């Protein structure tokens, strides 16, 4: 038995890819990898008592070249007496119809064809031709794009009925095997271009690493992906146990309540896994859930009751007395602008809801007799009085504002009622808040607690710039009035 065939045979047995007597659907494009897969499985068919069925998909993108690929695969199958099912699709039209990229649509259509044939012929497995470099490309692509642990585990050898027998060998090994056997293969010229990000990794990044850093880099990346897969599976198991201990799921699975006491005792890695699971339960999927969403929810544990953050799929996480509740937003809540957390150590421009509306924050030193603008949309605050960090958000339970120099406070809800703010506008009004203490009701007044005084050393300048937001005009309304301090410093 050829060395490569022996290697693949042992790999298939290690991962229990097939059982004796099974029927296997083999995806064959005509390229080196898939021709190698067909040739190896054809050799192993007698050993494992397998029967093979080939599926070829012509994407209709490369014209006569694609037709040539189809004819070649069908001819090889005829010679080997292997049944071959060919499919043809106008991939560009299909991608437009499904709202996908051509690359994504091509993969989706191929696997639809594989599964259709598997069911028709009663096959137990679908074999596809991913090999070692494909794992490396996937790991590097996910790493460069930004990913969690699962994204670094590479391509699984077995997933449901799909098997990948060639993941244990490199493209170079496959091509050498084909040359020794006198088996030709077709070349897809689009793989040689840099149209797709994966092609750039395949054609430039990996070759550079292997030529200039370590020829065995591909093998090492695959081995690392295997180790991370084991770690990921362990975290999955721990996350499942933690989820059962910390989370209560609503009857219709639209709400997941995390209990803070049990949750806090767990390691942060398991906490993140539990949060992802809780979001998945409430949303029914996790596709657009990113690390920042998980960290926002973890951060709620240190926030006052009532604080919330908005998530994909019209979900919100709310700090409760017991912990954190992840649930669907109501119609009214869904219309609220999202909270924007601001790092006061890194002033800059922060986008607000509305066409081109931003709040611009700068920090400056004060000097004696400096003039403070009297301006509805530019306000100055004593920077050193900010305690908890800033957020631009709508109102929450417990919000208050300081009315005078004696420290008299008023709940924001009461202030809005006293000022006769229409009920439908109250949920839309934007605030600059330090925890529950409101510095600025934008377009209205500021808190007396944060006003610039004679003792102020650093000033936070907040200015709203833009056109319109929520039906109101945000613009510089300078009415000509100026104040001088230390006699009178107002905001």
């Amino acid at each position: 038995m050829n060395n490569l065939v022996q290697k693949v045979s042992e790999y298939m047995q290690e991962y229990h890819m097939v059982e004796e007597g099974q029927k296997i659907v083999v995806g064959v494009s005509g390229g080196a990898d898939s021709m190698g897969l067909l040739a190896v499985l054809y050799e192993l068919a007698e050993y494992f008592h397998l029967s093979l069925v080939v599926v070829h998909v012509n994407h209709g993108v490369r014209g006569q070249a694609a037709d040539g690929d189809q004819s070649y695969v069908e001819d090889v199958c005829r010679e080997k007496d292997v049944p071959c099912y060919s499919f043809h699709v106008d991939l560009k039209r299909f991608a437009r119809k499904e709202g996908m990229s051509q690359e994504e649509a091509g993969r989706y259509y191929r696997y639809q064809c594989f599964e259709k044939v598997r069911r028709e012929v009663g096959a137990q497995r679908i074999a596809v031709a991913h090999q070692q470099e494909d794992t490396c490309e996937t790991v590097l692509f996910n790493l460069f794009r930004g990913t969690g642990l699962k994204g670094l585990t590479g391509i699984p050898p077995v997933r449901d009925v799909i098997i990948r027998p060639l993941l244990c060998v490199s493209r170079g090994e496959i091509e050498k095997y084909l040359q020794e056997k006198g088996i030709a293969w077709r070349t897809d010229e689009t793989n040689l271009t840099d149209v797709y990000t994966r092609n750039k990794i395949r054609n430039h990044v990996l070759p550079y690493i292997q030529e200039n850093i370590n020829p065995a880099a591909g093998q090492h990346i695959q081995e690392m992906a295997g180790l991370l897969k084991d770690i990921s599976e362990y975290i999955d198991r721990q996350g499942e146990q933690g989820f059962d201990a910390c989370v209560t799921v609503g009857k219709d699975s639209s709400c997941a309540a995390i209990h803070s006491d049990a949750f806090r005792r767990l390691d942060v890695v398991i906490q993140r896994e539990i949060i992802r699971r809780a979001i998945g339960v409430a949303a029914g999927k996790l596709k657009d859930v990113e690390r920042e969403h998980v960290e926002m929810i973890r951060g709620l544990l240190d926030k006052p009751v009532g604080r919330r953050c908005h998530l994909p799929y019209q979900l919100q996480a709310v700090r409760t007395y017991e912990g954190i509740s992840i649930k669907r937003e109501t119609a009214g809540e869904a219309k609220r602008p999202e909270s924007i957390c601001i790092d006061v150590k890194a002033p800059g421009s922060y986008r607000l809801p509305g066409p081109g509306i931003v709040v611009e924050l700068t920090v400056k030193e004060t000097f004696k007799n400096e003039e403070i603008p009297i301006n509805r949309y530019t306000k100055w605050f004593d920077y050193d009085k900010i305690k908890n960090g800033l957020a631009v958000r709508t109102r929450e339970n417990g919000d208050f504002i300081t009315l005078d120099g004696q420290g008299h406070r008023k709940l924001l809800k009461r202030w809005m009622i006293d000022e006769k703010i229409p009920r439908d506008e109250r949920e839309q009004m934007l605030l600059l808040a330090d925890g529950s203490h409101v510095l600025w009701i934008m377009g209205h007044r500021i808190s007396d607690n944060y006003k610039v005084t004679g003792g102020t050393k650093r000033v936070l300048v907040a200015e709203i710039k833009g056109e319109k937001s929520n039906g109101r005009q945000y613009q510089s309304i300078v009415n000509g009035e100026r104040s001088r301090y230390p006699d009178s410093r107002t905001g």
Side-chain angles (χ1 to χ4, degrees):
M1 187 180 288
N2 176 279
N3 287 339
L4 180 138
V5 177
Q6 181 66 36
K7 191 174 180 180
V8 172
S9 174
E10 292 172 358
Y11 187 71
M12 291 174 67
Q13 292 177 70
E14 178 185 357
Y15 286 97
H16 309 287
M17 291 188 181
V18 295
E19 297 177 6
E20 286 194 8
Q22 288 186 327
K23 184 175 286 187
I24 312 297
V25 171
V26 188
V28 182
S29 67
D33 296 342
S34 65
M35 292 305 298
L37 176 65
L38 176 59
V40 169
L41 290 181
Y42 190 78
E43 283 196 50
L44 292 174
E46 183 177 355
Y47 179 79
F48 287 110
H49 303 291
L50 305 175
S51 57
L52 307 180
V53 176
V54 165
V55 171
H56 174 83
V57 178
N58 184 337
H59 293 122
V61 174
R62 295 165 43 246
Q64 291 183 349
D67 295 338
D69 294 347
Q70 180 176 334
S71 297
Y72 175 65
V73 172
E74 290 171 347
D75 290 343
V76 170
C77 289
R78 237 183 327 266
E79 291 174 9
K80 294 180 178 293
D81 196 25
V82 174
C84 179
Y85 292 76
S86 294
F87 294 83
H88 189 284
V89 64
D90 183 339
L91 187 60
K92 291 182 179 179
R93 179 179 296 176
F94 181 78
R96 285 196 301 270
K97 178 184 175 183
E98 299 295 328
M100 301 177 179
S101 67
Q102 285 191 39
E103 188 177 24
E104 185 181 15
R107 181 184 183 281
Y108 176 71
Y109 186 79
R110 283 195 302 277
Y111 280 89
Q112 278 192 324
C113 295
F114 297 158
E115 180 61 18
K116 180 176 186 295
V117 173
R118 186 188 75 83
R119 291 179 181 275
E120 285 182 3
V121 302
Q124 290 77 35
R125 296 286 186 268
I126 296 169
V128 290
H130 293 104
Q131 37 74 18
Q132 193 175 86
E133 275 87 348
D134 291 312
T135 290
C136 298
E137 291 163 15
T138 298
V139 170
L140 293 176
F141 177 77
N142 289 340
L143 178 64
F144 298 155
R145 185 180 59 177
T147 184
L149 183 60
K150 279 187 173 62
L152 299 178
T153 61
I155 302 172
V158 179
R159 180 174 60 81
D160 299 326
V161 298
I162 298 168
I163 61 173
R164 298 179 172 91
L166 299 187
L167 281 178
C168 60
V169 295
S170 68
R171 182 174 288 116
E173 291 177 281
I174 295 169
E175 292 181 357
K176 181 181 177 183
Y177 164 76
L178 292 173
Q179 289 166 355
E180 290 174 354
K181 294 290 182 179
I183 300 172
W185 67 85
R186 304 280 295 182
T187 299
D188 183 346
E189 295 82 4
T190 61
N191 289 332
L192 305 177
T193 68
D194 292 337
V195 175
Y196 303 117
T197 302
R198 285 181 179 273
N199 286 17
K200 296 173 184 176
I201 295 173
R202 177 186 305 137
N203 298 331
H204 302 290
V205 177
L206 265 177
Y208 180 87
I209 292 171
Q210 291 167 335
E211 291 170 13
N212 296 278
I213 299 177
N214 189 339
Q219 180 183 341
H220 294 329
I221 292 173
Q222 186 185 40
E223 289 170 352
M224 179 206 69
L227 290 173
L228 292 177
K229 178 178 178 292
D230 293 339
I231 294 170
S232 177
E233 289 174 351
Y234 172 77
I235 291 174
D236 278 345
R237 292 193 295 272
Q238 295 299 311
E240 185 175 357
Q241 294 176 15
F243 183 89
D244 291 341
C246 300
V247 181
T248 301
V249 179
K251 291 183 179 180
D252 59 354
S253 297
S254 63
C255 176
I258 301 173
H259 306 291
S260 62
D261 290 344
F263 185 79
R264 288 182 187 275
R265 290 194 291 268
L266 297 173
D267 187 89
V268 64
V269 175
I270 308 304
Q271 289 181 356
R272 291 185 179 120
E273 180 63 22
I274 290 170
I275 290 172
R276 284 181 57 81
R277 287 171 180 267
I279 297 173
V281 165
K285 49 190 170 182
L286 281 169
K287 181 180 178 183
D288 296 319
V289 176
E290 299 176 355
R291 180 183 174 86
E292 66 176 299
H293 300 124
V294 174
E295 294 306 312
M296 283 167 60
I297 294 173
R298 284 190 63 240
L300 283 178
L301 283 174
D302 299 319
K303 302 297 184 183
V305 171
R307 184 64 59 85
R308 70 192 66 218
C309 62
H310 301 272
L311 306 168
Y313 309 118
Q314 294 183 321
L315 294 179
Q316 63 174 342
V318 183
R319 180 67 166 98
T320 64
Y321 287 105
E322 295 79 17
I324 297 170
S325 175
I326 300 173
K327 59 183 180 179
R328 293 277 179 186
E329 293 177 324
T330 65
E333 290 168 331
K335 295 178 182 178
R336 282 184 165 202
E338 292 190 7
S339 176
I340 304 165
C341 294
I342 294 172
D343 183 354
V344 291
K345 295 181 181 178
S349 294
Y350 295 85
R351 189 175 182 83
L352 302 180
I357 307 299
V358 299
V359 58
E360 189 172 283
L361 303 177
T362 55
V363 177
K364 61 186 292 297
E365 302 290 331
T366 62
F367 57 88
K368 190 175 181 180
N369 294 329
E370 184 175 9
E371 294 183 343
I372 302 175
I374 304 298
N375 179 340
R376 190 177 182 186
Y377 297 108
T378 301
K379 299 297 179 184
W380 286 23
F381 305 93
D382 190 321
Y383 179 76
D384 296 310
K385 290 182 179 178
I386 297 169
K387 303 297 183 184
N388 301 308
L390 297 178
V392 175
R393 57 174 177 78
T394 52
R395 67 171 181 158
E396 296 177 356
N397 290 337
D399 282 347
F400 65 91
I401 190 166
T402 302
L403 299 178
D404 54 39
Q406 286 72 48
H408 295 122
R409 297 177 173 184
K410 181 178 283 191
L411 286 174
L412 186 64
K413 179 179 179 180
R414 171 50 55 188
W415 179 89
M416 289 180 170
I417 293 171
D418 292 346
E419 293 295 318
K420 297 181 173 54
I421 304 295
R423 183 182 295 272
D424 59 347
E425 289 187 20
R426 296 175 195 170
E427 302 301 324
Q428 300 294 327
M429 292 177 67
L430 292 176
L431 314 171
L432 182 64
D434 176 12
S436 295
H437 198 156
V438 177
L439 280 75
W440 183 18
I441 306 167
M442 294 186 177
H444 296 274
R445 66 162 297 154
I446 72 170
S447 170
D448 200 274
N449 183 71
Y450 296 91
K451 282 186 176 180
V452 175
T453 69
T456 298
K457 295 180 180 178
R458 292 183 296 175
V459 172
L460 174 70
V461 180
E463 182 177 5
I464 296 176
K465 296 182 176 180
E467 299 168 2
K468 292 183 178 180
S469 177
N470 300 327
R472 295 177 179 269
Q473 182 78 16
Y474 280 147
Q475 59 183 354
S476 295
I477 305 175
V478 181
N479 53 21
E481 296 181 32
R482 298 282 177 176
S483 65
R484 292 184 176 272
Y485 63 90
D487 298 326
S488 63
R489 286 186 143 190
T490 60

